[in-house]
Each structure stands twice: as structure tokens, then as C-alpha cells.
Short mmCIF file of all heavy atoms in Angstrom, two decimals:
data_model
loop_
_atom_site.label_atom_id
_atom_site.label_comp_id
_atom_site.label_asym_id
_atom_site.label_seq_id
_atom_site.Cartn_x
_atom_site.Cartn_y
_atom_site.Cartn_z
N SER N 5 -17.56 103.93 -298.10
CA SER N 5 -18.57 104.53 -298.90
C SER N 5 -19.78 103.62 -298.88
O SER N 5 -19.70 102.50 -299.60
CB SER N 5 -18.09 104.77 -300.39
OG SER N 5 -19.21 105.05 -301.21
N GLY N 6 -20.88 103.87 -298.21
CA GLY N 6 -22.10 103.10 -298.29
C GLY N 6 -22.66 102.99 -299.73
O GLY N 6 -23.19 102.00 -300.18
N HIS N 7 -22.64 104.09 -300.52
CA HIS N 7 -23.06 104.08 -301.93
C HIS N 7 -22.40 103.01 -302.70
O HIS N 7 -23.02 102.22 -303.43
CB HIS N 7 -22.83 105.44 -302.51
CG HIS N 7 -23.86 106.47 -302.25
ND1 HIS N 7 -24.20 106.99 -301.08
CD2 HIS N 7 -24.78 107.13 -303.14
CE1 HIS N 7 -25.10 107.83 -301.06
NE2 HIS N 7 -25.53 107.90 -302.39
N VAL N 8 -21.02 102.90 -302.60
CA VAL N 8 -20.37 101.86 -303.23
C VAL N 8 -20.65 100.56 -302.76
O VAL N 8 -20.92 99.54 -303.51
CB VAL N 8 -18.79 102.16 -303.21
CG1 VAL N 8 -18.05 101.01 -303.89
CG2 VAL N 8 -18.46 103.44 -303.94
N GLY N 9 -20.67 100.28 -301.46
CA GLY N 9 -20.78 98.99 -300.81
C GLY N 9 -22.16 98.54 -301.12
O GLY N 9 -22.30 97.38 -301.63
N ILE N 10 -23.30 99.25 -300.83
CA ILE N 10 -24.65 98.79 -301.06
C ILE N 10 -24.75 98.55 -302.60
O ILE N 10 -25.50 97.48 -303.02
CB ILE N 10 -25.64 99.89 -300.64
CG1 ILE N 10 -25.56 100.01 -299.11
CG2 ILE N 10 -27.01 99.52 -301.02
CD1 ILE N 10 -25.88 98.90 -298.32
N SER N 11 -24.33 99.45 -303.46
CA SER N 11 -24.63 99.25 -304.85
C SER N 11 -23.94 97.95 -305.37
O SER N 11 -24.52 97.21 -306.25
CB SER N 11 -24.01 100.59 -305.69
OG SER N 11 -24.76 101.66 -305.22
N LEU N 12 -22.80 97.65 -304.94
CA LEU N 12 -22.06 96.45 -305.42
C LEU N 12 -22.68 95.23 -304.87
O LEU N 12 -22.77 94.20 -305.48
CB LEU N 12 -20.62 96.49 -304.96
CG LEU N 12 -19.66 97.57 -305.69
CD1 LEU N 12 -18.33 97.48 -305.22
CD2 LEU N 12 -19.77 97.25 -307.21
N VAL N 13 -23.19 95.23 -303.57
CA VAL N 13 -23.91 94.12 -303.08
C VAL N 13 -25.11 93.87 -303.86
O VAL N 13 -25.52 92.63 -304.31
CB VAL N 13 -24.25 94.40 -301.57
CG1 VAL N 13 -25.34 93.47 -301.05
CG2 VAL N 13 -23.12 94.29 -300.71
N ILE N 14 -25.92 94.91 -304.06
CA ILE N 14 -27.20 94.69 -304.87
C ILE N 14 -26.84 94.20 -306.38
O ILE N 14 -27.55 93.44 -306.89
CB ILE N 14 -27.97 95.94 -304.86
CG1 ILE N 14 -28.51 96.18 -303.52
CG2 ILE N 14 -29.16 95.85 -305.91
CD1 ILE N 14 -29.23 97.53 -303.35
N LEU N 15 -25.80 94.78 -306.92
CA LEU N 15 -25.39 94.38 -308.30
C LEU N 15 -25.06 92.82 -308.30
O LEU N 15 -25.38 92.20 -309.25
CB LEU N 15 -24.36 95.12 -308.75
CG LEU N 15 -23.80 95.05 -310.27
CD1 LEU N 15 -25.04 95.74 -311.13
CD2 LEU N 15 -22.61 95.86 -310.59
N PHE N 16 -24.34 92.41 -307.30
CA PHE N 16 -24.03 90.98 -307.17
C PHE N 16 -25.22 90.15 -307.06
O PHE N 16 -25.39 89.09 -307.66
CB PHE N 16 -23.00 90.78 -306.06
CG PHE N 16 -22.68 89.30 -305.93
CD1 PHE N 16 -21.60 88.79 -306.65
CD2 PHE N 16 -23.35 88.53 -305.07
CE1 PHE N 16 -21.27 87.45 -306.53
CE2 PHE N 16 -22.97 87.12 -304.91
CZ PHE N 16 -21.93 86.57 -305.70
N LEU N 17 -26.13 90.59 -306.21
CA LEU N 17 -27.38 89.78 -306.09
C LEU N 17 -28.25 89.75 -307.32
O LEU N 17 -28.88 88.78 -307.68
CB LEU N 17 -28.13 90.47 -305.00
CG LEU N 17 -27.59 90.36 -303.50
CD1 LEU N 17 -28.44 91.14 -302.51
CD2 LEU N 17 -27.66 88.95 -303.10
N MET N 18 -28.16 90.93 -308.09
CA MET N 18 -28.82 90.90 -309.46
C MET N 18 -28.20 89.87 -310.41
O MET N 18 -28.87 89.17 -311.07
CB MET N 18 -28.83 92.30 -310.02
CG MET N 18 -29.72 93.32 -309.27
SD MET N 18 -29.46 94.97 -310.06
CE MET N 18 -30.83 95.87 -309.21
N LEU N 19 -26.85 89.81 -310.30
CA LEU N 19 -26.09 88.88 -311.13
C LEU N 19 -26.59 87.47 -310.83
O LEU N 19 -26.65 86.67 -311.71
CB LEU N 19 -24.62 89.01 -310.92
CG LEU N 19 -23.66 88.06 -311.74
CD1 LEU N 19 -23.91 88.24 -313.18
CD2 LEU N 19 -22.31 88.26 -311.20
N LYS N 20 -26.86 87.09 -309.58
CA LYS N 20 -27.19 85.80 -309.20
C LYS N 20 -28.58 85.42 -309.54
O LYS N 20 -28.93 84.38 -309.86
CB LYS N 20 -26.90 85.62 -307.67
CG LYS N 20 -27.05 84.24 -307.12
CD LYS N 20 -26.61 84.13 -305.72
CE LYS N 20 -26.74 82.62 -305.26
NZ LYS N 20 -25.94 81.69 -306.09
N TYR N 21 -29.61 86.49 -309.27
CA TYR N 21 -30.98 86.15 -309.40
C TYR N 21 -31.67 86.74 -310.61
O TYR N 21 -32.83 86.42 -310.82
CB TYR N 21 -31.58 86.66 -308.07
CG TYR N 21 -31.07 86.00 -306.84
CD1 TYR N 21 -30.45 86.77 -305.86
CD2 TYR N 21 -31.13 84.65 -306.63
CE1 TYR N 21 -30.00 86.13 -304.68
CE2 TYR N 21 -30.55 83.97 -305.60
CZ TYR N 21 -30.09 84.78 -304.65
OH TYR N 21 -29.58 84.15 -303.41
N SER N 22 -31.05 87.65 -311.27
CA SER N 22 -31.68 88.26 -312.50
C SER N 22 -30.66 88.88 -313.35
O SER N 22 -30.20 90.03 -313.13
CB SER N 22 -32.71 89.36 -312.08
OG SER N 22 -33.23 90.06 -313.26
N ARG N 23 -30.13 88.17 -314.36
CA ARG N 23 -29.06 88.57 -315.25
C ARG N 23 -29.63 89.90 -316.09
O ARG N 23 -28.85 90.74 -316.38
CB ARG N 23 -28.80 87.48 -316.32
CG ARG N 23 -27.97 86.42 -315.68
CD ARG N 23 -26.71 86.87 -314.99
NE ARG N 23 -25.89 85.78 -314.48
CZ ARG N 23 -24.99 84.95 -315.04
NH1 ARG N 23 -24.81 85.15 -316.33
NH2 ARG N 23 -24.43 83.99 -314.33
N LYS N 24 -31.03 89.90 -316.38
CA LYS N 24 -31.39 90.98 -317.06
C LYS N 24 -31.31 92.33 -316.26
O LYS N 24 -30.84 93.37 -316.70
CB LYS N 24 -32.96 90.83 -317.39
CG LYS N 24 -33.60 91.95 -318.13
CD LYS N 24 -35.07 91.65 -318.48
CE LYS N 24 -35.69 92.81 -319.32
NZ LYS N 24 -37.16 92.40 -319.53
N LEU N 25 -31.74 92.28 -314.96
CA LEU N 25 -31.47 93.42 -314.02
C LEU N 25 -30.09 93.76 -313.90
O LEU N 25 -29.76 94.93 -313.81
CB LEU N 25 -32.09 93.20 -312.65
CG LEU N 25 -33.57 93.47 -312.42
CD1 LEU N 25 -33.94 93.15 -311.02
CD2 LEU N 25 -33.75 94.91 -312.80
N PHE N 26 -29.18 92.75 -313.89
CA PHE N 26 -27.71 93.04 -313.78
C PHE N 26 -27.27 93.88 -314.88
O PHE N 26 -26.52 94.88 -314.73
CB PHE N 26 -26.98 91.73 -313.69
CG PHE N 26 -25.51 91.86 -313.76
CD1 PHE N 26 -24.80 92.27 -312.65
CD2 PHE N 26 -24.89 91.56 -315.02
CE1 PHE N 26 -23.38 92.46 -312.70
CE2 PHE N 26 -23.51 91.75 -315.13
CZ PHE N 26 -22.73 92.12 -313.94
N TRP N 27 -27.62 93.49 -316.13
CA TRP N 27 -27.05 94.14 -317.27
C TRP N 27 -27.61 95.53 -317.43
O TRP N 27 -27.05 96.50 -317.86
CB TRP N 27 -27.33 93.33 -318.60
CG TRP N 27 -26.45 92.12 -318.68
CD1 TRP N 27 -26.88 90.82 -318.61
CD2 TRP N 27 -24.99 92.05 -318.71
NE1 TRP N 27 -25.81 89.97 -318.69
CE2 TRP N 27 -24.58 90.81 -318.76
CE3 TRP N 27 -24.03 93.10 -318.80
CZ2 TRP N 27 -23.31 90.32 -318.88
CZ3 TRP N 27 -22.81 92.68 -318.91
CH2 TRP N 27 -22.32 91.28 -318.85
N ILE N 28 -28.95 95.65 -316.94
CA ILE N 28 -29.55 96.96 -317.01
C ILE N 28 -28.84 98.00 -316.05
O ILE N 28 -28.69 99.08 -316.27
CB ILE N 28 -31.09 96.90 -316.69
CG1 ILE N 28 -31.80 96.23 -317.79
CG2 ILE N 28 -31.64 98.25 -316.44
CD1 ILE N 28 -33.28 95.90 -317.47
N SER N 29 -28.45 97.35 -314.83
CA SER N 29 -27.92 98.32 -313.84
C SER N 29 -26.42 98.39 -313.83
O SER N 29 -25.86 99.26 -313.09
CB SER N 29 -28.29 97.52 -312.42
OG SER N 29 -29.73 97.58 -312.37
N LEU N 30 -25.63 97.54 -314.65
CA LEU N 30 -24.20 97.53 -314.59
C LEU N 30 -23.63 98.93 -314.91
O LEU N 30 -22.83 99.42 -314.13
CB LEU N 30 -23.69 96.51 -315.59
CG LEU N 30 -22.19 96.38 -315.65
CD1 LEU N 30 -21.49 96.00 -314.24
CD2 LEU N 30 -21.73 95.38 -316.77
N VAL N 31 -23.93 99.53 -315.96
CA VAL N 31 -23.27 100.80 -316.38
C VAL N 31 -23.79 101.98 -315.41
O VAL N 31 -22.88 102.71 -314.98
CB VAL N 31 -23.74 101.19 -317.82
CG1 VAL N 31 -23.22 102.61 -318.18
CG2 VAL N 31 -23.04 100.14 -318.85
N PRO N 32 -25.05 102.06 -315.00
CA PRO N 32 -25.40 103.09 -314.05
C PRO N 32 -24.66 102.94 -312.70
O PRO N 32 -24.19 103.84 -312.09
CB PRO N 32 -26.87 102.87 -313.89
CG PRO N 32 -27.39 102.22 -315.04
CD PRO N 32 -26.29 101.34 -315.57
N VAL N 33 -24.42 101.66 -312.31
CA VAL N 33 -23.63 101.45 -311.03
C VAL N 33 -22.21 101.89 -311.26
O VAL N 33 -21.55 102.56 -310.29
CB VAL N 33 -23.71 100.00 -310.62
CG1 VAL N 33 -22.76 99.69 -309.48
CG2 VAL N 33 -25.20 99.73 -310.01
N LEU N 34 -21.56 101.57 -312.32
CA LEU N 34 -20.21 102.03 -312.69
C LEU N 34 -20.14 103.64 -312.68
O LEU N 34 -19.14 104.10 -312.04
CB LEU N 34 -19.68 101.47 -313.94
CG LEU N 34 -19.61 99.97 -314.01
CD1 LEU N 34 -19.09 99.48 -315.39
CD2 LEU N 34 -18.46 99.46 -313.03
#
């Protein structure tokens, strides 16, 4: 699943570079 793979990669990058973006995107990605 590219949807799952890409979304998790970007979510991890958000966690590393922008905690605000990470928390905004966490629930939508789940």
C-alpha cells in the first residue's frame, strides 16, 4: 500500500522536523 507507506514516511518526517504538523496530521493519517 503506497498510501500507507508514503503517509507513514511523511508522518515520521513531520515528527522529526515539525511536531506541530505531526500532531495535526496524526489522527487523519490513522
Side-chain angles (χ1 to χ4, degrees):
S5 172
H7 274 66
V8 173
I10 295 293
S11 299
L12 289 178
V13 163
I14 293 175
L15 193 65
F16 179 85
L17 293 171
M18 287 177 172
L19 176 64
K20 186 169 183 61
Y21 300 119
S22 172
R23 291 296 177 90
K24 183 178 180 180
L25 269 184
F26 170 80
W27 289 115
I28 290 173
S29 303
L30 178 59
V31 172
V33 167
L34 292 177

